[in-house]
């Protein structure tokens, strides 16, 4: 199986002028050269990395400071010369990696021989330089931060002859490719000539040197400060939560984070005979590149299904470089346990352990494959409980209640949820734990089985400073002849005080029968954790009852009854007409006068009181009969009532609203309301009645416009506004009872005024009149020769006067240039007002023409001029 780890490890070291940002990593190690008495000679090597793009070379010498390991006191400085500076380049890692980055950096080796006397404390060797490369993803303002590289020489106080030590030396290859979001691994493995036990961990990168002190000589004394990590990254999680380190071999594995450069520091601790003697450090920059590779990755711990038989699979490192998949689910009972889907699922026929295999680009270039174990054992149910006192400093017993259909429960890990502690854990199946502070703790329980099933459940534990006491009631009221049972709950033993008229004073539910009001105090003892609380038993010799006085209501009305009492039980009767007979203040709706009884009880004591609700009828009232009047007419109202007083509304159209028979003169239909206050029976509510006076519509009567007629010529009159008509006088009329009679006048009476009585369907009538001027001359058209449109109401309009004319063909007015400015064929009295489009015209002469037909069919044509005067 081919495997590519797609993550680029950039251990670069920028050497620019003085404080240029160029450091990408480093480490320090040593070997024991010789021992002479208590003097030990070591060959110390400082290994530095610089960025090839920095444009500057390595320093020619390195100042290595020596410090007491226990007191951090400065001992001396040794100058290590630059021995070699090879350039390492990796340009073509694999044809199956898409867009691989170029790895290239320079490594500087500084070596010096140092002789030191053996001490109980040992030594710290350190070197400091500014500055790190800029733009780090996990460190803030990295371009202005330096670095410290150190090694430790153990002392006699740790292990006998500990100074005769060779430090652990990192041996991992420094050129590795890593692609973002892909699984990768990189070895920080180290070797130790003394065969000491080595333990690996992520640790903080140190600052050292600054822009003002680029190469401190001597270096600053320890302890050293961590670089400022950017959340969520830290020294213990420099590449995020998806990348971890194996503590036994220094292998870091996981899913590469987003593209960028990260500082990673690994500490290797040397243990001899179980004692920690020294810690060595390696500081590198890892650059995660935007590259791609045909790689398949399954869950590192395999797949375990403890619920059912179906398992889903997916490649944890998918990419476009993969053309096909082939899955074999490891089910030897069938040949159909394969799939070419990207993310398949498979249902296994039985419990057991299977091996799933996936191949990317099967039988193609850049193929990759991997396998994983699949464990199918459904029927795994984690569960636990706890018992004992939940008081602070009391011991709680935790009990594993988990079950497994297959295999046995064989692993447990408890975390008792104390945030400030790391040792609040247990691997026992049924552990005990004592909480030292009150609070709510979220207990985590991780349980596993021999079949590989594993699950995590949580449960809250509330730790209190005293046991909880709960009462069914804390205040009660009894009669002096009664016995009551107190009800309490809690974990522990009970003791009630005082020992006065009490039965079973050590139970949760004693019976008491005090004759006076008494506080009964309960002490609850839960394994030495105690609490106290009290119950008040109030005692009375009688029941107190107060209710409202007798009252009167009108028929069909309601009354609210009012009662107050210290009784524990109470009831009104009779209940049929009450909204809630068990309420202190029910609503009563009696149909007739009723006596209500209120009864209140305290145990063996009771008391009753009565209230009378009188039901009386409302006052009689009659506002009269509705009527209809003509517009501008009047009607007399006629009302009666049986109350003590009355009033009308509205009053504005009544001639006297203080009497029962006023005259109403409404202009519109109006409803008059007559109300009475109360009657002698005591009904407190007024009665109401209404009478409506309907007002007929106003008659708009017309007999037509005044007119002029030729003697002995017929003239048709026209009236409007009603349903019937009556004309007077009847002189010359052919029918005096229609709206449009024809009249013929001989002219002996030059002016006749006709009056018509217009009546509507309601029988209301209005008179209208029209004047008829009779001329003993032939039909003609008379046109004035001037007019004055000055809005004074006199001679404001220019129009012809038609005598005996039946129709007009046109009446036209032209200005001096012959433009038509007015045209009409109406005989309604309208004419020209001296404007054109509402613009007043100048004074002057205008030309007019008129053509019409008279009543005997003869045509008349006239023209002339008119003078507009201002």
């Amino acid at each position: 199986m081919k495997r590519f780890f797609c993550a680029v490890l950039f251990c670069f070291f920028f050497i620019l002028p003085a404080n240029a940002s160029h450091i990408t990593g480093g480490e320090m190690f040593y070997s024991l050269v010789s021992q002479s008495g208590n003097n030990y000679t070591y060959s110390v090597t400082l290994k530095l990395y610089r960025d090839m793009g920095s444009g500057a070379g390595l320093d020619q010498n390195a100042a290595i400071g020596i410090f007491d390991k226990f007191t951090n006191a400065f001992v001396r400085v040794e100058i290590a010369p630059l021995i070699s500076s090879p350039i390492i380049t990796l340009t073509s890692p694999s044809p199956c990696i898409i867009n691989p980055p170029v790895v290239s950096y320079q490594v500087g080796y500084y070596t010096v021989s140092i002789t030191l006397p053996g001490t109980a404390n040992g030594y710290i060797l350190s070197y400091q330089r500014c500055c790190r490369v800029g733009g780090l993803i996990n460190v803030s303002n990295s371009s202005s931060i330096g670095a410290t590289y150190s090694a430790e020489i153990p002392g006699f106080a740790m292990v006998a002859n500990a100074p005769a030590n060779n430090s652990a030396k990192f041996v991992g290859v420094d050129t590795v490719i890593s692609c973002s979001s892909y699984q990768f691994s990189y070895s920080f493995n180290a070797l130790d000539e003394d065969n000491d036990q080595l333990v690996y961990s992520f640790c903080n990168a140190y600052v050292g040197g600054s822009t003002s002190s680029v190469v401190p000589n001597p270096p600053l004394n320890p302890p050293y400060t961590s670089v400022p990590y950017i959340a969520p990254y830290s020294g213990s999680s420099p590449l995020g939560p998806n990348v971890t380190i194996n503590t036994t071999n220094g292998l870091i594995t996981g899913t590469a984070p987003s593209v960028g450069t990260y500082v990673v520091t690994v500490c290797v601790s040397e243990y001899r005979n179980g004692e920690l003697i020294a810690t060595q450090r390696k500081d590198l920059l890892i650059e995660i590149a935007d590259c791609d590779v045909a790689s398949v990755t399954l869950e590192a711990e395999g797949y375990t299904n403890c619920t059912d038989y179906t398992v889903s699979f997916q490649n944890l490192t998918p990419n476009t470089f993969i053309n096909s998949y082939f899955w074999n689910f490891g089910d030897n009972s069938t040949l159909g346990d394969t799939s070419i889907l990207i993310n398949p699922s498979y249902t296994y026929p039985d419990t057991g352990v299977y091996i799933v295999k996936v191949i990317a680009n099967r039988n193609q270039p850049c193929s990759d494959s991997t396998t994983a174990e699949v464990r199918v054992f459904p029927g795994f149910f984690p569960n636990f409980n706890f018992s004992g006192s939940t008081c602070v400093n009391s011991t709680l017993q935790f009990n594993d209640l988990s079950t497994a259909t297959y295999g046995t429960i064989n692993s447990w890990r408890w975390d008792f949820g104390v945030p400030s502690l790391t040792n609040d854990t247990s691997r026992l199946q049924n552990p005990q734990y004592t909480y030292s502070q009150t609070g709510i703790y979220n207990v985590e329980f991780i349980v596993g089985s021999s079949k590989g099933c594993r699950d995590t459940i949580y449960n809250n534990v509330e730790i209190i400073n005293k046991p909880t006491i709960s009462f069914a009631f804390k205040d009660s009221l009894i009669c002096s002849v009664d016995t009551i049972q107190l009800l309490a709950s809690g974990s522990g033993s009970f003791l009630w005080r005082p020992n006065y008229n009490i039965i079973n004073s050590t139970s949760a539910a004693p019976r008491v029968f005090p004759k006076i009001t008494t506080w009964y105090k309960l002490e609850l003892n839960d394994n030495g954790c105690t609490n106290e609380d009290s119950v008040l038993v109030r005692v009375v010799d009688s029941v107190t009852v107060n209710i409202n006085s007798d009252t009167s209501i009108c028929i069909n009305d309601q009354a609210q009854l009012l009662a107050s009492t210290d009784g524990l039980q109470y009831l009104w009767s009779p209940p049929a007409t009450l909204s809630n007979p068990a309420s202190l203040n029910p609503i009563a709706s009696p149909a007739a006068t009723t006596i209500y009884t209120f009864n209140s009880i305290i145990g063996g004591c009771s008391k009753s009181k009565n209230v009378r609700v009188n039901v009386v009828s409302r006052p009689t009232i009659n506002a009269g009969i509705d009527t209809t009047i003509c517009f501008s007419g009047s009607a007399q109202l006629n009302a009666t009532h049986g109350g003590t007083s009355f009033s009308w509304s509205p009053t504005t159209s009544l001639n006297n609203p203080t009497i029962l028979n006023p005259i109403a003169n409404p202009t519109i239909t109006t409803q008059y309301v007559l109300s009475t206050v109360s009657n002698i029976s005591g009904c407190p509510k007024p009665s109401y009645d209404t009478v409506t006076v309907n007002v007929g519509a106003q008659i708009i009567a017309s007999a037509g416009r005044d007119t002029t007629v030729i003697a002995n010529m017929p003239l048709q009159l026209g009236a409007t506004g009603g349903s019937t008509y009556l004309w007077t006088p009847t002189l010359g009329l052919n029918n005096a009872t229609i709206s449009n009679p024809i009249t013929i006048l001989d002219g002996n009476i030059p002016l006749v005024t006709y009056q018509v009585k217009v009546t509507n369907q309601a029988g209301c009538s209005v008179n209208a009149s029209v004047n008829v001027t009779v001329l003993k001359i032939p039909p003609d058209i008379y046109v004035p020769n001037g007019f004055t449109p000055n809005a004074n109401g006199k001679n404001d309009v220019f129009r012809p006067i038609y005598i005996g004319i039946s129709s007009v063909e046109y009446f036209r007015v032209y200005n001096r240039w012959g433009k038509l400015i007015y045209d009409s064929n109406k005989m309604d009295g309208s004419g020209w007002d001296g404007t054109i489009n509402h613009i007043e015209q100048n004074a002057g002469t205008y030309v007019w023409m008129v053509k019409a037909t008279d009543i005997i069919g003869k045509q008349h044509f006239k023209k002339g001029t008119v003078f507009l005067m201002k």
Side-chain angles (χ1 to χ4, degrees), residues 26-40:
E27 59 177 303
M28 187 183 297
F29 53 86
Y30 60 88
S31 299
L32 178 64
V33 177
S34 63
Q35 177 182 355
S36 176
N38 192 41
N39 291 322
Y40 298 83

Side-chain angles (χ1 to χ4, degrees), residues 719-794:
T720 58
S723 57
T724 62
Y725 303 87
L726 181 62
W727 294 85
T728 57
T730 59
L731 178 66
L733 297 177
N734 66 335
N735 188 344
T737 61
I738 62 176
S739 63
N740 55 349
I742 295 175
T743 181
I744 299 176
L745 300 173
D746 56 11
N748 293 328
I749 300 175
L751 176 64
V752 178
T753 299
Y754 288 102
Q755 189 174 68
V756 60
K757 183 179 181 182
V758 180
T759 305
N760 63 14
Q761 292 183 346
C764 300
S765 60
V766 174
N767 292 329
S769 63
V770 62
N771 294 319
V772 178
T773 300
V774 183
L775 301 177
K776 289 186 175 183
I777 57 175
D780 203 351
I781 301 173
Y782 298 94
V783 182
N785 58 9
F787 73 112
T788 57
N790 54 8
N792 64 355
K794 298 179 180 180

Side-chain angles (χ1 to χ4, degrees), residues 108-408:
Y109 291 89
Y110 299 82
T111 301
V112 64
S113 179
I114 300 176
T115 299
L116 294 168
T119 66
N121 295 339
Y123 301 94
I124 293 178
L125 310 180
S126 66
Y127 167 79
Q128 294 182 319
R129 182 63 161 87
C130 188
C131 297
R132 295 179 182 271
V133 296
L136 296 183
I137 298 298
N138 60 348
V139 175
S140 175
N141 299 319
S142 58
S143 63
S144 60
I145 296 174
T148 297
Y149 305 109
S150 64
E152 295 180 0
I153 297 176
F156 290 120
M158 300 175 183
V159 176
N161 201 28
N165 184 59
N166 295 280
S167 72
K169 301 179 181 64
F170 292 97
V171 295
V173 177
D174 292 331
T175 53
V176 178
I177 303 289
S178 176
C179 300
S180 176
S181 301
Y182 279 89
Q183 293 289 310
F184 83 101
S185 64
Y186 173 73
S187 176
F188 274 89
N189 185 251
L191 296 179
D192 189 281
E193 296 181 28
D194 305 316
N195 294 318
D196 293 329
Q197 179 188 2
L198 301 182
V199 177
Y200 302 85
S201 64
F202 287 129
C203 51
N204 290 332
Y206 289 154
V207 298
S210 63
T211 55
S212 60
S213 179
V214 178
V215 187
N217 186 2
L220 298 178
N221 295 45
Y224 298 113
T225 305
S226 169
V227 298
Y229 288 96
I230 300 174
Y233 303 104
S234 63
S236 60
S237 183
L239 295 172
N242 296 324
V243 179
T244 58
I245 186 168
N246 188 309
T247 59
T248 59
N249 60 19
L251 184 68
I252 64 172
T253 58
T255 303
S258 59
V259 173
T261 306
Y262 302 76
V263 64
V264 176
T265 303
V266 170
C267 290
V268 57
S269 299
E270 302 177 47
Y271 287 84
R272 186 176 300 172
N273 300 328
E275 296 291 335
L276 175 64
I277 62 172
T279 299
Q280 316 305 334
R281 306 163 57 84
K282 184 174 183 177
D283 188 279
L284 296 173
L285 292 190
I286 293 182
E287 181 170 325
I288 307 302
D290 186 16
C291 53
D292 210 349
V293 64
S295 172
V296 285
T297 307
L298 298 179
E299 295 289 350
E301 297 181 357
Y303 299 84
T304 301
N305 191 338
C306 298
T307 304
D308 54 29
Y309 294 91
T310 300
V311 183
S312 298
F313 303 93
Q314 65 174 345
N315 177 17
L316 299 180
T317 54
N319 64 84
T320 58
F321 207 45
I322 298 177
N323 301 316
S324 65
Y325 287 93
F326 180 81
W327 299 81
N328 187 312
F329 302 112
D331 180 4
N332 295 328
S333 66
T334 179
L335 296 178
D337 64 330
T338 61
S339 175
I340 60 173
L341 297 177
I342 298 175
N343 301 314
S345 295
Y346 187 74
T347 300
Y348 288 90
D350 199 356
T351 59
V353 179
Y354 304 86
I355 301 298
V356 62
K357 181 177 182 179
V358 58
I359 305 173
N361 298 333
R362 185 187 186 198
N363 300 324
Q364 301 176 48
C366 299
S367 177
D368 190 26
S369 66
T370 190
T371 61
E373 189 176 72
V374 181
R375 295 171 292 276
V376 181
F377 295 101
F380 178 71
F381 304 103
N383 190 18
F384 77 91
N385 67 3
F386 56 89
S387 58
S389 173
T390 57
C391 284
V392 67
N393 296 320
S394 297
T395 299
L396 272 180
Q397 175 68 52
F398 290 87
N399 305 296
D400 171 29
L401 304 178
S402 304
T403 59
T405 304
Y406 300 96
T408 59

